[in-house]
Amino acid sequence: MDKLTVTREHRPDDIAVTIGPSRIGNGEFLLIAGPCAVETPEQMAGIVAMLAGNPAGMLRGGAFKPRTSPYAFQGLGRDGLVLLREAADRLGIPVLTEVTDTTHLELVLEFADAIQIGSRNMSAYELLKAVGRQSKPVVLKRGMAATVREFLYAAEYIVAGGNEQIILCERGIRSFDPTYRNVVDLNTVAWLKAHCPFPVVVDPSHGSGRVDLVTPLSRAAIAAGADGLMVEVHPNPGCARSDGDQSLDPAAYRDWHRACLDLARFMGRTC
Amino acid sequence: MDKLTVTREHRPDDIAVTIGPSRIGNGEFLLIAGPCAVETPEQMAGIVAMLAGNPAGMLRGGAFKPRTSPYAFQGLGRDGLVLLREAADRLGIPVLTEVTDTTHLELVLEFADAIQIGSRNMSAYELLKAVGRQSKPVVLKRGMAATVREFLYAAEYIVAGGNEQIILCERGIRSFDPTYRNVVDLNTVAWLKAHCPFPVVVDPSHGSGRVDLVTPLSRAAIAAGADGLMVEVHPNPGCARSDGDQSLDPAAYRDWHRACLDLARFMGRTC
Amino acid sequence: MDKLTVTREHRPDDIAVTIGPSRIGNGEFLLIAGPCAVETPEQMAGIVAMLAGNPAGMLRGGAFKPRTSPYAFQGLGRDGLVLLREAADRLGIPVLTEVTDTTHLELVLEFADAIQIGSRNMSAYELLKAVGRQSKPVVLKRGMAATVREFLYAAEYIVAGGNEQIILCERGIRSFDPTYRNVVDLNTVAWLKAHCPFPVVVDPSHGSGRVDLVTPLSRAAIAAGADGLMVEVHPNPGCARSDGDQSLDPAAYRDWHRACLDLARFMGRTC
Amino acid sequence: MDKLTVTREHRPDDIAVTIGPSRIGNGEFLLIAGPCAVETPEQMAGIVAMLAGNPAGMLRGGAFKPRTSPYAFQGLGRDGLVLLREAADRLGIPVLTEVTDTTHLELVLEFADAIQIGSRNMSAYELLKAVGRQSKPVVLKRGMAATVREFLYAAEYIVAGGNEQIILCERGIRSFDPTYRNVVDLNTVAWLKAHCPFPVVVDPSHGSGRVDLVTPLSRAAIAAGADGLMVEVHPNPGCARSDGDQSLDPAAYRDWHRACLDLARFMGRTC
């Protein structure tokens, strides 16, 4: 097997990642929230209102959406990035958004403070090389059937390009049970915290596909050692153009926010 | 699909289960600890010493062991039950032990306060019927690739026989990743707490197969809503005849005990 | 790891299994057909008519049915065994039926020529020991998430008891895709034929859960090296009390029969 | 769910795909062979010698290799394409090679007659759109944990761009069993042949990761209805820079070639 430098054997200490005014890792806890896809100015105004009351450390939202069907809403592209940037600026927090192809990277970097590599692209190695050659932080989501070893090597691609500002994201693995969209794998969170220096966030929205499971899974992730959470929120999930079933509405987001921060503080995290 | 009565639709309120002086469910939290297999009087004396200092609410231990190989240690049978009973009596706590075949049930019931149905037998329906016809509490472990629906129907077999004293146990599902023996599925714990009235315990020892992951996974289980935990402990795991890699030694057990009870209390559980 | 004697390292040559007038292995090919469950004398008369025209080498049928729900049809028990025996005697072929609990074994042995251990019981080790202590051939079905190594050790349990008349049955593994009930694993069939001396049969009925896939999967199994096939048939699948979706009706059975035997002969099998 | 036009409901008849002088589908059978990666002129001379004696209808080989580790051999890039083209021209057959990023597509199209989308990129939707906008045939490999529905929608992305020259490739799914690299899923081959008009090929090299299973799995694929096979070959597998364990050497290739064509002819395929 080839060398692997993204483990504590080579980098014993926690690596904290800084995104503008926000920080994650080495004891600092980060909430990332936002819609699945940027849809309209009205939707983004609703998001701003939600996050103004219960602050997150980073705004997430998709402008280039990887959708199973070519006929499903593919995102607003550049217009979506503009709306996302404006919303984040109003909140004074950084922007995280996904890049799904190397040819979009330059455009996305104009607007984003951190780049998301989605689950479907964890093994898109040319894309990993490309985000490794630039310096903004990268949220690397685990592939839906990727082993821990494959996940680490994907991070190694980014590090090999020169970028060590990596946040690993566990977002659920594919299982045999149709009850859930995916199953959150906290074995991997606990393993990563023990063996890998990068901050780890958990995405319970994709990790379950069900809004009723988001809070208990979020709290479980914190107790397993996660450094942050990423959730999908929407001012009106019933009207969302994607992922409505797993998006928190304003009331649920408020309850989730308090439940998570209380536990993170109990676990000794700074937040 | 056939009717299913083990859901909150039919039984809205939490069902608490009483095993002698111990209780689980409806807010009461239970730790279950003990060796994988009962091996020797000396080993059991070591277990008693461990649990005397940091009490568990129930002693687990195997006398009839389901082992992958016919040449592996199969358990001490009746002699193991005797040793287990003596140890529990010294501690003043109830005994939980596995029954692997209907023909053993009568013998096991002489010694045990609660009966464990192991993962390999979750669909041994004659055995489920048999434990449903007796009145002692049953810890029903989920099959390693059982869906939630199949798990619920296994409980339904026991209820159909007349026994509603059921504790459900999530013990890890089989995944594609060889890093772990199994992956703890807390989606299912969260789902069960929302939709099913029975207490739920998590077994992080089998759920990971690695002692270094037992504490973070235990805490995650509590935060996800579990009513209890079941762990394997051994006075000297390096000499254990089975499951040494996943058994807590005395020092690790002590740390685990405190970490879990602290969190359970924070989560509002009685313990 | 413990010793494993059921491999070609220890038993280099093919082991043929004889069940009354029928034989499988070492070049001899066997078709096993019958209903999921024995239901009525009329149904069994229909089965006899189907098999009279297109002979199978063994009649399968369930009298003790392992069903997910306790309220689903559980089989006719002794009455089912009687009907099964009569049907087989009219056809002059041996009977294969499942035993789901050690306490049923004696009764089943009165009527059956070969014993089936079902998928849910592949790791019911006391049952494996019990069928190992008697001398009738055993059809051992692979657990739905059992590794090859676990499958071999289950066979080892039977051999350790003294019975080497074992037929291994691949019946599909559990996967992430809800399109099928299971996925037939022919990697395992090919691996077993190379490394293990026992005859191997494939059950494409459970292996797909869809009657439209039974013939191509049957032919694939033969081409992969299987020594036989086991299929579910019913004179009127729409009225079957279980597994109707995967049972061949008389016309489909006739076509399947010819398609399979033609290919088996092309592959050099005696049938 | 969004509309899906790549099914027989919309396109009832088999679609044959033509790649230069070769054809697949609608009864015509195609063998695709070549090395995992193009390595050296000497290696390619060895490949030419192998295929000269036992012809394949298309030469495969990788110039841009998606490798788990960034430090593993990444392919020769343009130089590899030149070597591949020369070898194919000497054999008079078309070239199939993988494109792993949209920015490579133009270069690859200069040299290749057909474009492969690898398993890791089945959901790289921008890449699918890009190959949909050009007219050369596309071999679309199934993702290692993709459902049939997701696989069909990936094909739909290509069709939506205007290209209907698609060959679907089943290359094994990820399972819980470490015995194999993957498990060939012939349920899906049988399902696709019944419900989808595109030709289907199977890759037993990646589908097992073991050279000893390639021939039985190839024959199984043919019997399940596959229209072609894709295998990895190497003049000296022990020295291969990647996938040596699953590459056929000259003698094994010769035997495989005859075994497969014999069976394909028996199954009524033109080859």
Side-chain angles (χ1 to χ4, degrees), chain B residues 21-97:
Chain B
S22 299
R23 252 172 101 80
I24 181 172
N26 199 19
E28 301 199 58
F29 190 77
L30 182 71
L31 294 181
I32 307 170
C36 173
V38 178
E39 299 169 356
T40 63
E42 293 68 33
Q43 173 221 28
M44 292 309 294
I47 298 284
V48 168
M50 289 171 75
L51 271 61
N54 295 279
M58 185 149 60
L59 177 66
R60 60 149 287 158
F64 295 96
K65 296 301 304 171
R67 302 300 301 281
T68 300
S69 164
Y71 311 120
F73 176 53
Q74 305 274 315
L76 298 180
R78 193 181 198 288
D79 292 348
L81 295 172
V82 171
L83 290 174
L84 193 63
R85 183 75 263 167
E86 287 174 357
D89 288 348
R90 251 176 291 158
L91 291 162
I93 59 175
V95 156
L96 169 68
T97 197

Side-chain angles (χ1 to χ4, degrees), chain B residues 2-5 64-72 74 100-104 120-121 123-127 129 144-147 149-150 153-154 156-157 159-160 174, chain C residues 2-5 64-72 74 100-104 120-121 123-127 129 144-147 149-150 153-154 156-157 159-160 174:
Chain B
D2 290 288
K3 73 170 170 174
L4 192 57
T5 72
F64 295 96
K65 296 301 304 171
R67 302 300 301 281
T68 300
S69 164
Y71 311 120
Q74 305 274 315
T100 58
D101 193 73
T102 49
T103 57
H104 299 163
R120 289 171 178 80
N121 290 308
S123 300
Y125 298 125
E126 298 306 317
L127 185 56
K129 289 176 190 172
M144 54 189 94
T147 62
R149 184 176 165 270
E150 291 165 338
Y153 271 114
E156 189 80 32
Y157 264 94
V159 164
R174 190 144 272 193
Chain C
D2 290 288
K3 72 170 171 173
L4 193 56
T5 72
F64 295 96
K65 296 302 303 172
R67 302 299 302 280
T68 299
S69 165
Y71 311 120
Q74 305 275 315
T100 58
D101 194 73
T102 50
T103 57
H104 299 163
R120 289 171 177 80
N121 290 308
S123 300
Y125 298 125
E126 298 305 317
L127 186 56
K129 289 176 190 173
M144 55 188 93
T147 62
R149 185 177 163 269
E150 291 166 338
Y153 270 114
E156 188 80 31
Y157 264 94
V159 165
R174 191 146 271 194

Side-chain angles (χ1 to χ4, degrees), chain A:
Chain A
M1 199 185 329
D2 290 289
K3 71 170 173 175
L4 193 57
T5 72
V6 296
T7 59
R8 289 193 188 273
E9 209 181 315
H10 292 85
R11 294 170 164 84
D13 298 327
D14 278 17
I15 293 176
V17 173
T18 303
I19 320 110
S22 298
R23 253 173 100 79
I24 180 171
N26 199 20
E28 300 198 57
F29 190 78
L30 183 71
L31 294 181
I32 308 170
C36 173
V38 178
E39 298 170 355
T40 62
E42 293 67 34
Q43 171 221 29
M44 291 309 294
I47 298 284
V48 168
M50 290 171 76
L51 272 62
N54 295 279
M58 186 149 60
L59 177 66
R60 63 148 288 158
F64 296 96
K65 296 302 304 172
R67 302 300 301 282
T68 300
S69 165
Y71 311 119
F73 176 52
Q74 304 275 314
L76 298 180
R78 192 181 198 287
D79 292 349
L81 295 173
V82 170
L83 290 173
L84 193 63
R85 183 74 262 172
E86 288 173 356
D89 288 347
R90 250 176 292 159
L91 291 161
I93 59 174
V95 157
L96 170 68
T97 197
E98 180 170 355
V99 59
T100 59
D101 193 73
T102 50
T103 58
H104 298 162
L105 182 57
E106 201 176 347
L107 172 63
V108 169
L109 284 169
E110 270 183 54
F111 292 91
D113 301 294
I115 299 297
Q116 179 177 311
I117 301 294
S119 190
R120 289 171 177 81
N121 291 307
M122 191 203 82
S123 301
Y125 298 125
E126 298 304 317
L127 186 56
L128 297 180
K129 289 177 189 172
V131 298
R133 284 189 297 260
Q134 59 84 48
S135 61
K136 289 187 174 174
V138 178
V139 173
L140 176 65
K141 296 188 97 170
R142 183 183 180 191
M144 54 188 93
T147 62
V148 168
R149 184 177 164 269
E150 292 166 337
F151 194 17
L152 291 175
Y153 270 115
E156 188 80 32
Y157 264 94
I158 299 171
V159 164
N163 187 351
E164 301 195 356
Q165 291 284 291
I166 298 172
I167 299 167
L168 300 173
C169 178
E170 159 60 29
R171 46 75 73 202
I173 55 173
R174 190 145 272 194
S175 98
F176 51 82
D177 194 338
T179 309
Y180 324 108
R181 186 168 172 184
N182 293 289
V183 171
V184 172
D185 173 4
L186 295 179
N187 283 42
T188 288
V189 172
W191 191 96
L192 288 172
K193 291 314 298 172
H195 298 288
C196 180
F198 297 123
V200 175
V201 302
V202 171
D203 172 352
S205 307
H206 288 89
S208 65
R210 300 172 59 121
V211 78
D212 62 333
L213 303 186
V214 166
T215 297
L217 289 174
S218 295
R219 300 187 86 174
I222 297 168
D227 302 287
L229 295 166
M230 174 150 64
V231 286
E232 290 186 341
V233 301
H234 197 283
N236 189 349
C239 298
R241 300 188 67 175
S242 55
D243 285 357
D245 290 347
Q246 67 195 40
S247 295
L248 300 173
D249 68 15
Y253 172 67
R254 200 162 45 235
D255 292 347
W256 171 85
H257 193 272
R258 197 189 52 243
C260 292
L261 291 188
D262 281 359
L263 182 59
R265 286 189 197 105
F266 173 79
M267 295 288 293
R269 303 305 169 88
T270 307
C271 52

Side-chain angles (χ1 to χ4, degrees), chain B residues 15-34 51 54-60 92-97 113-116 137-140 165-169 193 198-204 218-219 221-222 225-231 253 256-257 260-265 267-271:
Chain B
I15 293 176
V17 173
T18 302
I19 321 109
S22 299
R23 252 172 101 80
I24 181 172
N26 199 19
E28 301 199 58
F29 190 77
L30 182 71
L31 294 181
I32 307 170
L51 271 61
N54 295 279
M58 185 149 60
L59 177 66
R60 60 149 287 158
I93 59 175
V95 156
L96 169 68
T97 197
D113 301 294
I115 298 297
Q116 179 176 309
V138 178
V139 174
L140 176 65
Q165 291 283 290
I166 297 172
I167 300 167
L168 299 173
C169 179
K193 290 314 299 171
F198 298 122
V200 176
V201 301
V202 171
D203 172 352
S218 295
R219 302 187 86 175
I222 296 168
D227 301 286
L229 296 167
M230 173 149 63
V231 287
Y253 173 66
W256 171 84
H257 193 272
C260 292
L261 292 188
D262 281 359
L263 182 59
R265 287 189 196 104
M267 296 288 294
R269 304 304 167 89
T270 307
C271 52

Side-chain angles (χ1 to χ4, degrees), chain C residues 58-268:
Chain C
M58 185 149 60
L59 178 66
R60 62 149 287 158
F64 295 96
K65 296 302 303 172
R67 302 299 302 280
T68 299
S69 165
Y71 311 120
F73 176 53
Q74 305 275 315
L76 298 179
R78 192 182 197 288
D79 292 347
L81 295 172
V82 170
L83 290 173
L84 193 63
R85 182 75 263 168
E86 288 174 356
D89 288 348
R90 250 175 294 156
L91 291 162
I93 58 175
V95 157
L96 170 69
T97 197
E98 181 170 356
V99 60
T100 58
D101 194 73
T102 50
T103 57
H104 299 163
L105 181 57
E106 202 177 346
L107 172 63
V108 169
L109 284 170
E110 271 183 53
F111 293 91
D113 302 293
I115 298 297
Q116 178 177 310
I117 301 294
S119 188
R120 289 171 177 80
N121 290 308
M122 190 204 82
S123 300
Y125 298 125
E126 298 305 317
L127 186 56
L128 297 180
K129 289 176 190 173
V131 297
R133 285 188 297 261
Q134 59 83 48
S135 62
K136 289 189 174 172
V138 178
V139 174
L140 175 65
K141 296 189 97 170
R142 181 183 180 191
M144 55 188 93
T147 62
V148 168
R149 185 177 163 269
E150 291 166 338
F151 194 17
L152 292 175
Y153 270 114
E156 188 80 31
Y157 264 94
I158 300 170
V159 165
N163 186 351
E164 301 196 357
Q165 291 283 292
I166 298 172
I167 299 167
L168 299 174
C169 178
E170 159 60 28
R171 45 75 75 204
I173 55 173
R174 191 146 271 194
S175 96
F176 51 82
D177 195 338
T179 308
Y180 323 109
R181 186 168 173 184
N182 293 289
V183 171
V184 171
D185 173 3
L186 295 179
N187 283 43
T188 289
V189 172
W191 191 95
L192 288 172
K193 290 313 299 170
H195 299 288
C196 180
F198 298 122
V200 175
V201 302
V202 170
D203 172 352
S205 306
H206 289 89
S208 64
R210 299 172 60 121
V211 79
D212 62 333
L213 302 186
V214 166
T215 296
L217 289 173
S218 295
R219 301 187 86 176
I222 297 167
D227 301 287
L229 295 166
M230 172 150 64
V231 287
E232 290 186 343
V233 302
H234 198 283
N236 189 350
C239 299
R241 297 188 69 176
S242 56
D243 286 355
D245 290 346
Q246 67 194 40
S247 295
L248 299 174
D249 68 16
Y253 173 67
R254 200 163 45 236
D255 293 345
W256 171 84
H257 193 272
R258 198 191 49 243
C260 292
L261 291 188
D262 281 358
L263 182 59
R265 286 188 198 107
F266 173 79
M267 295 288 294

Side-chain angles (χ1 to χ4, degrees), chain A residues 67 71 102 156-157 174, chain D residues 67 71 101-102 150 156-157:
Chain A
R67 302 300 301 282
Y71 311 119
T102 50
E156 188 80 32
Y157 264 94
R174 190 145 272 194
Chain D
R67 302 301 300 282
Y71 311 121
D101 193 74
T102 50
E150 292 165 338
E156 188 80 32
Y157 264 94

